[in-house]
C-alpha cells in the first residue's frame, strides 16, 4: 500500500489520517504546528512521528494537504514533491489548478462531512474528486468504505456553494428557529423541533421540493402575514426571504395558483417596504 504523509493535522487531516491508518495504509509522518494539532496526532496516531513538512513529503507516496484553502497553493509549491507522488488537497472549493506548478500528480478530494475531535466513520460518505488520474483515488476512497463522484474543475466552486448553502446556512436557520421557540416560551426547543426537522430533512433528501408542507403550499396567506408581524424586529430575518423563494418554487411547479402567489408577493413586499406595492 502507498505510504501516506499528512501536512496539517487539524480535524479533517486527523480524521482522514486515522481512517487511512485503520484501513491498513502506513502513515509515515505528519506535520503539526499547533499544540492542539500535536495533541491530536498523539491521540489518533501515537506511533507516527511528527516531522517537518519537507520530511513528511520525502517519506510518502501520497501527501494529504490538510491546510486552509487560502494557503494550499503556497504550501504545495514550498514542498519537495517528485513526479511519482500524489498531492491531495481536501478543499471543496478548489480543483487541481491550485496545485499548478508542482511535480506531483494533483488531486482535489473533498469529504463533505463535518469533523470533530471524536472518531468518525467515513462509510457511506460520497467524496467529490477532481484529478487527471482516477485509479488511486477510487481505491483509496473504496478502502475507506466510502464512495467517490467526479466533477469538472470549473464546477468546483458551484459544488462547494451548494454544500455551504445547504449545511452552513441550515445551522443559521435552525438556530434562528430555536431562538424564536425559546422566546415563545418553549422550554426545550430542540426536542420540539427534532422530530419535525429530522422527518423534513429525510423527505427533502428523497423528494426535493415535493416534500414541502406548511402554510405557503396550502395558500394560507393570512398565516404568513401573522408570522411576519410577530417576527418583525427579531433576529429571524431570513423568514421573509425564504418565504419568497418558497412562493416562487411552489408557483413554478403548479402547486400554488397565480392569484394566491400574487397575494403572497404583496404581503411579503409590504413587509419589506412597510407599504403595499403599487
Amino acid at each position: 500500500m502507498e505510504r501516506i504523509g499528512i501536512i496539517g493535522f487539524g480535524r479533517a487531516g486527523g480524521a482522514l489520517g486515522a481512517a487511512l491508518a485503520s484501513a491498513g495504509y502506513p502513515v509515515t509522518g505528519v506535520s503539526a504546528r499547533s499544540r492542539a494539532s500535536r495533541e491530536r496526532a498523539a491521540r489518533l496516531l501515537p506511533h507516527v512521528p511528527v516531522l517537518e513538512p519537507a520530511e513528511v513529503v520525502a517519506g510518502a507516496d501520497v501527501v494529504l494537504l490538510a491546510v486552509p484553502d487560502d494557503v494550499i497553493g503556497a504550501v504545495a509549491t514550498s514542498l519537495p514533491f517528485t513526479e511519482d507522488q500524489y498531492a491531495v488537497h481536501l478543499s471543496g472549493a478548489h480543483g487541481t489548478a491550485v496545485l499548478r506548478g508542482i511535480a506531483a500528480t494533483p488531486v482535489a478530494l473533498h469529504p463533505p462531512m463535518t469533523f470533530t475531535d471524536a472518531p468518525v466513520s467515513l462509510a457511506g460518505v460520497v467524496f467529490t474528486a477532481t484529478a487527471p488520474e482516477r485509479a488511486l483515488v477510487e481505491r483509496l476512497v473504496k478502502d475507506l468504505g466510502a464512495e467517490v463522484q467526479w466533477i469538472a474543475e470549473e464546477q468546483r466552486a458551484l459544488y462547494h456553494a451548494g454544500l455551504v448553502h445547504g449545511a452552513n446556512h441550515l445551522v443559521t436557520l435552525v438556530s434562528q428557529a430555536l431562538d424564536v421557540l425559546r422566546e415563545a416560551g418553549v422550554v426545550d426547543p430542540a426536542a420540539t423541533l427534532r422530530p419535525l426537522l429530522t422527518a423534513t430533512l429525510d423527505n427533502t433528501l428523497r423528494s426535493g421540493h415535493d416534500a414541502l408542507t406548511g402554510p405557503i403550499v396550502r395558500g394560507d396567506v393570512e398565516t404568513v402575514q401573522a408570522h411576519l408581524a410577530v417576527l418583525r424586529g427579531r433576529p429571524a430575518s431570513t423568514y421573509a426571504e425564504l418565504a419568497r423563494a418558497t412562493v416562487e418554487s411552489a408557483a413554478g411547479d403548479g402547486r400554488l395558483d397565480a392569484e394566491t402567489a400574487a397575494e403572497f408577493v404583496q404581503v411579503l413586499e409590504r413587509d419589506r417596504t412597510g407599504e403595499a406595492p403599487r
Side-chain angles (χ1 to χ4, degrees):
M1 286 184 165
E2 288 80 8
R3 298 168 298 165
I4 306 295
I6 305 170
I7 305 296
F9 212 77
R11 290 174 176 175
L16 287 178
L20 286 166
S22 295
Y25 286 87
V27 180
T28 53
V30 303
S31 72
R33 295 190 181 279
S34 71
R35 178 179 177 180
S37 294
R38 292 193 298 271
E39 290 176 349
R40 186 177 295 110
R43 185 175 65 255
L44 295 177
L45 297 173
H47 304 298
V48 175
V50 176
L51 306 171
E52 290 299 313
E55 295 176 301
V56 173
V57 173
D61 303 304
V62 177
V63 179
L64 300 186
L65 298 169
V67 298
D69 287 10
D70 292 348
V71 300
I72 291 171
V75 170
T77 54
S78 73
L79 296 171
F81 283 110
T82 61
E83 292 182 357
D84 57 350
Q85 291 177 304
Y86 291 82
V88 183
H89 77 67
L90 307 178
S91 168
H94 291 294
T96 58
V98 72
L99 299 175
R100 186 181 294 115
I102 67 171
T105 299
V107 178
L109 184 63
H110 181 244
M113 278 283 288
T114 296
F115 294 108
T116 66
D117 280 326
V120 62
S121 171
L122 296 172
V125 173
V126 182
F127 284 71
T128 300
T130 304
E133 299 177 16
R134 296 192 174 192
L136 173 76
V137 175
E138 291 179 344
R139 178 161 51 80
L140 283 174
V141 173
K142 181 180 179 181
D143 289 342
L144 292 173
E147 300 177 25
V148 63
Q149 60 186 342
W150 294 86
I151 63 172
E153 177 83 15
E154 61 271 17
Q155 298 300 333
R156 296 290 299 195
L158 187 61
Y159 152 77
H160 196 240
L163 291 181
V164 169
H165 189 43
N168 297 166
H169 297 169
L170 179 62
V171 174
T172 303
L173 175 62
V174 174
S175 296
Q176 288 181 351
L178 291 171
D179 289 342
V180 170
L181 290 175
R182 195 174 290 111
E183 189 172 349
V186 176
V187 176
D188 191 346
T192 302
L193 271 179
R194 184 174 288 108
L196 176 61
L197 291 182
T198 301
T200 300
L201 180 60
D202 185 58
N203 290 340
T204 305
L205 291 174
R206 284 202 312 266
S207 306
H209 205 260
D210 288 342
L212 181 66
T213 62
I216 288 178
V217 76
R218 292 195 300 265
D220 295 338
V221 178
E222 291 184 2
T223 297
V224 170
Q225 192 168 10
H227 292 171
L228 293 170
V230 297
L231 289 173
R232 192 169 295 122
R234 288 181 165 84
S237 58
T238 53
Y239 183 100
E241 286 302 317
L242 291 173
R244 288 186 184 90
T246 304
V247 168
E248 290 175 5
S249 182
D253 63 19
R255 284 184 292 168
L256 196 62
D257 64 81
E259 183 178 352
T260 306
E263 289 183 52
F264 275 121
V265 170
Q266 186 177 46
V267 165
L268 291 165
E269 185 66 13
R270 183 184 300 120
D271 180 75
R272 186 180 70 84
T273 65
E275 60 182 18
R278 296 177 180 178

